[in-house]
C-alpha cells in the first residue's frame, strides 16, 4: 500500500458510517458506496489501470454534460479548439450547458434544485457547495477520490490534507473537488505612479507605515488631490473589497473579499467573530486615518471601476489597488498613451503588524461538484478518471491553460510563449487572434490550480516579480475543520447575513468618519444583540466535536 490518497487518517478512524481505509487510499478492496460490486457495473469506457501521469483515453466514445460559466470577456463558441482537442485526446465529448456569468450561481441553484443539473458542475467556490449537501443532490466526492490518481498525488506531494480537512462536512466527507495549488498565489496589492514618486524623491513603500508616509508626502506636493483613489467597490458585498482583503492580511484578519464572520484564533485555540477582533479594529483605524487626512479619496468606497480609472488617467491620484492584469491592460497601457513618461508599478502587499505572511487556505481554488445522478451511470468510473485527467493531471492542466503546442503556443526550455498573432490577456493587443476568445483556452471553468512552474508560466514580468516576492512569505495556519450538522447549518444561516451586513455597514461608517471609533464598544454590543456569540458558540461546538471524533 502506498500513501498517495492519505487525505485524513484522523477522520477515517471515526467518521460515522465510514466505508473503510481502501476507499481513501486507493489500495483496492472496499468501495465508495460500501458495496464492492457497485463500481464493477459502472466501468463503461473506463481504463483498467489508469495511473497518475498517464494519458486518459476512454475505451469507447463518451459524453458528459458540464455547466459552463459563460464569461462575456470570452463568450463561448462551439467551434473552440479546446472542445475538439479534449475529445481528440480523451475520447470524451463535453456537452456544455451554457449559463451567463452574471446568473451563474442563481441558475446553478435552480438546476440542482430541479434535478436538472449537468453531471459536472465546475466553477464552484467553497462554501457554496454546502447548500446542496443535505438534499443529496451532489456527491460526497471524497468517497470517490480513489479513482483519481493525479488528484491524490498532488494532495500528497503538496501536503494539502489540512486544506482539504477545512472543507469537510459533519459526515467527514467533502463535496467539492477544489483546484489545487502547489503554492499560495496572491492576486492584489497597491500600485503607484513610480515616475511621480521619483520626481519627489520617494521610494516604493514596503510597509503600511511607509504607505502612509508616501501618501502624506504626495499630499504635501499636490494639496488639491487625493493621492490614493480606489476601485472594486460596486457589485461586491464589500466596498473596496480588494483593498480590505490585502490590508486585512497585513493585520492577520479576513476582510474584504475574504471576509468570513468566523475566524480561528490560533493562540486561544478557538473560533472568534472576525468583525469583533481587535486586529480588525486596528485595520479600520488605519484606513480612517487615511480618509481623515485626505490621503484617500472617500469616493473610493462608492465609485465605479471606470470612475476610479479615469481619476488615475487624469492624474487626479497616483495610487490605486491593482492586480497584474489590470496593471498592464488598464493602467499602464492607457497611461502611456495619455501621459508622457508615465510609469506605474504594483508593490508586494505592504507589511503590517502580522509580518511577512499570507492568509492560510489560499492553495485551494474554486472547484467541481458532481451531480449524484453520475453515480447511477454505467460511465461513472470513466467520468471520474476524465475529471482527474482534465483538471488535475499536468498534461490536462497544460492543455487547459496553453492549448496545443505548435498551434497556440511554443515551449522551449520550460518557457511558454503564445504563437505569433495570438494574444494572451493583452500580451499583444494588435494580434488578430486571442487565446481565450478564439480558441477557448485559459477559460476559468477549466484552467486553475497546478504546479508553480505551470501557474507562473502565464505571469507577465510584472506578475513574476510580484509573485516571487509573495511566495517567500509564510502562510498562516489553516482554520481547522468545524463542520456544522444540517440543523446547525440552518440556524447559522439565519444569523450569518444580518451579522455580516452589520459588519460591512459599520466598517464603512467607521472608515468614513460617519461613526466615531469611540463607539466601537457599542458596535460590539449591537453584534451581540444579533446573535454573534451564539454563532461563535455553534462553530466552537462543531470544532470540538470534530476534534473529538477525528483527533
Amino acid at each position: 500500500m502506498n500513501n498517495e490518497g492519505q487525505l485524513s487518517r484522523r477522520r477515517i478512524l471515526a467518521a460515522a458510517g465510514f466505508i473503510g481505509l481502501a476507499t481513501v487510499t486507493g489500495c483496492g478492496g472496499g468501495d465508495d458506496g460500501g458495496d464492492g460490486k457497485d463500481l464493477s457495473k459502472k466501468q463503461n469506457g473506463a481504463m483498467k489501470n489508469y495511473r497518475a501521469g498517464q494519458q486518459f483515453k476512454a475505451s469507447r466514445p463518451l459524453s458528459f454534460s458540464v455547466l459552463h460559466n459563460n464569461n462575456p470577456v470570452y463568450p463561448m463558441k462551439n467551434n473552440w479548439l479546446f472542445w475538439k482537442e479534449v475529445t481528440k485526446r480523451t475520447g470524451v465529448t463535453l456537452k456544455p450547458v451554457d449559463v451567463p456569468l452574471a446568473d451563474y450561481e442563481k441558475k446553478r441553484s435552480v438546476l440542482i434544485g430541479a434535478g436538472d443539473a449537468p453531471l459536472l458542475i465546475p466553477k464552484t467556490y467553497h462554501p457554496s457547495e454546502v447548500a446542496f449537501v443535505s438534499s443529496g443532490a451532489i456527491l460526497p466526492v471524497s468517497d470517490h477520490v480513489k479513482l483519481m490518481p493525479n488528484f491524490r498525488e498532488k494532495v500528497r506531494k503538496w501536503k494539502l490534507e489540512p486544506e482539504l480537512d477545512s472543507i469537510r462536512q459533519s459526515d467527514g466527507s467533502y463535496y467539492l473537488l477544489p483546484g489545487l495549488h502547489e503554492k499560495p498565489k496572491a492576486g492584489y496589492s497597491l500600485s503607484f505612479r513610480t515616475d511621480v514618486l521619483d520626481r519627489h524623491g520617494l521610494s516604493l513603500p514596503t510597509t503600511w507605515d511607509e504607505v502612509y508616509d508616501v501618501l502624506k508626502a504626495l499630499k504635501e506636493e499636490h494639496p488639491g488631490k487625493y493621492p490614493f483613489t480606489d476601485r472594486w467597490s460596486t457589485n461586491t458585498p464589500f466596498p473596496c473589497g480588494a483593498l480590505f482583503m490585502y490590508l486585512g492580511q497585513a493585520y492577520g484578519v479576513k476582510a474584504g473579499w475574504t471576509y468570513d464572520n468566523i475566524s480561528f484564533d490560533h493562540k486561544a485555540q478557538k473560533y472568534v467573530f472576525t468583525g469583533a477582533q481587535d486586529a480588525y479594529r486596528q485595520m479600520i483605524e488605519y484606513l480612517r486615518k487615511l480618509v481623515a487626512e485626505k490621503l484617500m479619496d472617500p469616493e473610493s468606497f462608492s465609485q465605479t471601476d471606470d470612475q476610479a480609472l479615469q481619476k488615475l488617467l487624469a492624474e487626479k491620484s497616483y495610487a490605486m489597488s491593482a492586480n497584474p492584469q489590470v496593471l498592464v491592460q488598464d493602467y499602464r497601457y492607457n497611461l502611456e498613451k495619455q501621459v508622457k513618461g508615465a510609469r506605474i508599478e504594483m508593490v508586494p502587499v505592504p507589511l503590517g503588524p502580522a509580518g511577512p505572511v499570507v492568509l492560510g487556505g489560499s492553495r485551494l481554488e474554486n472547484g467541481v461538484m458532481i451531480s449524484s445522478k453520475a453515480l447511477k451511470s454505467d460511465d461513472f468510473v470513466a467520468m471520474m478518471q476524465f475529471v482527474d485527467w482534465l483538471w488535475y493531471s499536468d498534461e490536462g492542466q497544460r492543455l487547459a491553460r496553453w492549448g496545443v503546442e505548435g498551434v497556440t503556443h511554443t515551449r522551449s526550455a520550460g518557457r511558454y510563449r503564445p504563437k505569433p498573432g495570438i494574444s494572451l490577456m493583452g500580451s499583444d493587443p494588435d494580434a488578430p487572434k486571442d487565446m481565450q476568445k478564439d480558441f477557448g483556452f485559459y477559460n476559468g471553468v477549466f484552467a486553475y490550480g497546478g504546479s508553480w512552474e505551470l501557474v507562473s508560466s502565464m505571469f507577465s514580468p510584472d506578475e513574476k516579480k510580484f509573485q516571487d516576492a509573495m511566495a517567500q512569505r509564510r502562510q498562516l495556519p489553516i482554520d481547522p475543520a468545524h463542520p456544522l450538522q444540517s440543523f446547525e447549518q440552518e440556524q447559522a444561516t439565519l444569523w450569518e447575513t444580518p451579522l455580516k451586513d452589520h459588519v460591512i455597514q459599520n466598517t464603512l461608517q467607521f472608515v468614513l468618519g460617519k461613526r466615531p471609533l469611540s463607539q466601537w464598544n457599542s458596535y460590539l454590543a449591537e453584534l451581540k444583540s444579533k446573535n454573534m456569540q451564539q454563532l461563535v458558540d455553534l462553530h466552537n461546538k462543531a470544532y470540538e466535536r470534530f476534534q473529538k471524533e477525528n483527533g
Side-chain angles (χ1 to χ4, degrees):
M1 180 188 286
N2 62 26
N3 65 352
E4 268 188 354
Q6 189 177 345
L7 293 182
S8 175
R9 295 197 180 275
R10 287 184 291 114
R11 71 107 180 182
I12 289 167
L13 298 172
F18 193 75
I19 9 34
L21 190 60
T23 302
V24 179
T25 59
C27 304
D31 189 55
D32 307 313
D35 179 351
K37 293 176 185 173
D38 279 359
L39 292 193
S40 64
K41 297 174 184 173
K42 303 181 192 300
Q43 304 276 346
N44 182 42
M47 288 177 66
K48 279 208 171 106
N49 296 300
Y50 173 58
R51 300 182 308 279
Q54 183 181 13
Q55 173 64 53
F56 168 77
K57 186 69 185 265
S59 59
R60 64 189 67 178
L62 298 172
S63 66
F64 303 123
S65 55
V66 59
L67 198 62
H68 188 268
N69 185 346
N70 197 355
N71 192 319
V73 176
Y74 41 93
M76 194 189 86
K77 294 178 181 173
N78 291 322
N79 66 347
W80 272 344
L81 180 59
F82 172 80
W83 308 121
K84 295 171 188 167
E85 195 65 25
V86 164
T87 302
K88 180 178 160 186
R89 296 193 192 191
T90 66
V92 170
T93 301
L94 282 171
K95 294 189 169 173
V97 175
D98 196 34
V99 177
L101 175 71
D103 298 328
Y104 190 72
E105 298 218 354
K106 186 179 174 186
K107 182 76 171 171
R108 181 183 62 201
S109 296
V110 170
L111 287 169
I112 293 173
D116 296 330
L119 297 179
L120 306 177
I121 312 166
K123 205 65 182 171
T124 298
Y125 289 85
H126 176 75
S128 301
E129 80 280 12
V130 176
F132 310 115
V133 168
S134 59
S135 68
I138 58 169
L139 283 184
V141 285
S142 54
D143 293 354
H144 305 285
V145 294
K146 72 169 191 181
L147 303 170
M148 303 180 65
N150 289 291
F151 177 89
R152 293 199 322 266
E153 184 179 70
K154 284 179 166 57
V155 168
R156 177 185 58 81
K157 198 162 62 176
W158 298 340
K159 299 181 170 58
L160 283 159
E161 292 90 350
E163 277 95 336
L164 287 174
D165 275 351
S166 74
I167 65 169
R168 291 185 190 278
Q169 301 308 305
S170 54
D171 58 1
S173 298
Y174 51 87
Y175 289 74
L176 180 72
L177 288 167
L180 306 176
H181 279 274
E182 181 181 6
K183 293 183 182 180
K185 178 174 169 278
Y188 296 82
S189 188
L190 269 179
S191 65
F192 288 87
R193 279 278 304 276
T194 47
D195 58 313
V196 176
L197 296 190
D198 290 349
R199 197 183 311 148
H200 300 308
L202 300 169
S203 302
L204 283 168
T206 59
T207 68
W208 285 103
D209 287 344
E210 289 175 7
V211 169
Y212 171 79
D213 293 340
V214 166
L215 295 177
K216 190 96 172 152
L218 287 170
K219 183 71 177 175
E220 285 168 10
E221 296 288 347
H222 306 276
K225 299 177 181 179
Y226 291 107
F228 173 31
T229 196
D230 211 23
R231 61 181 294 168
W232 289 310
S233 290
T234 53
N235 300 325
T236 69
F238 216 113
C240 290
L243 170 65
F244 274 103
M245 177 177 69
Y246 62 79
L247 175 62
Q249 184 170 287
Y251 285 85
V253 294
K254 293 184 277 196
W257 287 340
T258 53
Y259 180 81
D260 186 333
N261 280 330
I262 298 295
S263 297
F264 194 70
D265 182 331
H266 288 271
K267 283 182 185 166
Q269 285 291 296
K270 65 177 184 179
Y271 277 93
V272 296
F273 192 80
T274 308
Q277 286 177 285
D278 198 51
Y280 193 90
R281 180 183 57 78
Q282 290 170 25
M283 174 196 72
I284 287 175
E285 284 176 344
Y286 179 86
L287 281 181
R288 173 68 201 127
K289 184 166 72 165
L290 295 191
V291 172
E293 297 185 23
K294 296 188 163 65
L295 307 182
M296 182 178 183
D297 180 1
E299 289 181 0
S300 297
F301 302 93
S302 55
Q303 66 191 354
T304 65
D305 290 1
D306 195 51
Q307 287 170 324
L309 182 60
Q310 291 313 314
K311 288 177 181 177
L312 184 74
L313 298 179
E315 299 197 272
K316 291 180 178 175
S317 66
Y318 305 108
M320 189 186 290
S321 288
N323 64 36
Q325 284 76 43
V326 300
L327 178 76
V328 175
Q329 293 176 30
D330 290 358
Y331 306 175
R332 187 173 292 153
Y333 178 75
N334 289 304
L335 272 170
E336 285 172 356
K337 282 200 301 189
Q338 288 183 224
V339 183
K340 191 179 177 185
R343 286 179 289 111
I344 189 162
E345 273 191 50
M346 180 170 150
V347 297
V349 175
L351 300 178
V357 297
V358 292
L359 289 176
S362 54
R363 292 196 298 158
L364 297 188
E365 207 171 334
N366 68 81
V368 184
M369 294 187 294
I370 295 185
S371 167
S372 296
K373 291 184 294 188
L375 193 54
K376 301 184 179 113
S377 163
D378 293 345
D379 310 336
F380 179 71
V381 172
M383 190 192 76
M384 296 304 289
Q385 291 174 342
F386 169 76
V387 168
D388 180 64
W389 182 83
L390 180 57
W391 273 280
Y392 298 102
S393 76
D394 292 343
E395 198 55 42
Q397 291 177 335
R398 195 176 292 127
L399 172 68
R401 282 179 182 270
W402 280 104
V404 183
E405 190 167 357
V407 178
T408 57
H409 74 277
T410 57
R411 187 179 174 212
S412 144
R415 185 154 183 210
Y416 298 77
R417 282 195 180 89
K419 286 276 282 185
I422 298 176
S423 182
L424 173 63
M425 293 184 296
S427 63
D428 180 1
D430 301 319
K433 294 283 185 185
D434 183 272
M435 185 83 84
Q436 295 170 306
K437 294 174 188 169
D438 297 301
F439 299 98
F441 298 112
Y442 203 40
N443 179 331
V445 175
F446 303 102
Y448 46 82
S451 68
W452 188 248
E453 180 195 16
L454 181 63
V455 170
S456 63
S457 72
M458 311 205 80
F459 293 166
S460 64
D462 285 288
E463 181 158 18
K464 186 168 185 341
K465 189 170 151 192
F466 173 74
Q467 296 292 356
D468 284 349
M470 295 301 293
Q472 304 306 311
R473 301 194 177 179
R474 179 175 62 86
Q475 185 173 322
L476 290 171
I478 313 293
D479 285 359
H482 54 115
L484 300 178
Q485 293 172 349
S486 55
F487 71 93
E488 293 171 325
Q489 186 64 55
E490 286 169 20
Q491 183 59 72
T493 303
L494 295 175
W495 295 332
E496 284 276 4
T497 303
L499 281 165
K500 187 174 182 178
D501 289 347
H502 197 68
V503 170
I504 293 170
Q505 288 162 12
N506 282 276
T507 297
L508 195 56
Q509 288 187 325
F510 283 132
V511 167
L512 291 172
K514 292 179 179 175
R515 185 172 191 180
L517 274 155
S518 57
Q519 288 187 18
W520 182 258
N521 286 339
S522 302
Y523 157 72
L524 295 182
E526 289 152 16
L527 290 173
K528 280 179 185 163
S529 73
K530 294 180 185 295
N531 303 297
M532 171 180 75
Q533 197 55 50
Q534 288 93 317
L535 182 69
V536 169
D537 290 345
L538 201 63
H539 282 277
N540 276 317
K541 183 178 157 192
Y543 163 63
E544 286 159 17
R545 180 174 62 231
F546 192 85
Q547 288 291 105
K548 191 175 170 187
E549 291 175 356
N550 304 281

